[in-house]
Amino acid sequence: MARHTFGWFGWISALGFVVLGALWLLESMYTLAWPVSATWTLSIAVVAGLGALALYFGNDPTAREPNAVT
């Protein structure tokens, strides 16, 4: 069975999804003045989320090998 892991690259992508998703939510409620439109913020958040999923289920080059000796 495959063992999925995140490296630092995947964690940065996941963090980008969370932060941009929160910015989009605050901007869509008109409580935050953000210099980028809500549409672009959501678009970039979706791309970051898809990247995080791809790195999790795919082959994150920054992830350690499951059987690596530390």
Side-chain angles (χ1 to χ4, degrees):
M1 186 152 120
R3 183 173 175 196
H4 304 293
T5 58
F6 264 155
W8 60 269
F9 213 48
W11 284 113
I12 290 173
S13 185
L15 181 65
F17 172 72
V18 170
V19 168
L20 287 170
L23 284 173
W24 172 79
L25 184 65
L26 291 172
E27 186 180 13
S28 67
M29 295 183 335
Y30 299 109
T31 59
L32 179 70
W34 180 245
V36 182
S37 72
T39 304
W40 280 106
T41 303
L42 181 62
S43 300
I44 295 169
V46 167
V47 168
L50 290 174
L53 285 174
L55 288 168
Y56 180 73
F57 288 112
N59 185 17
D60 187 352
T62 60
R64 294 187 327 165
E65 293 295 323
N67 296 328
V69 177
T70 56

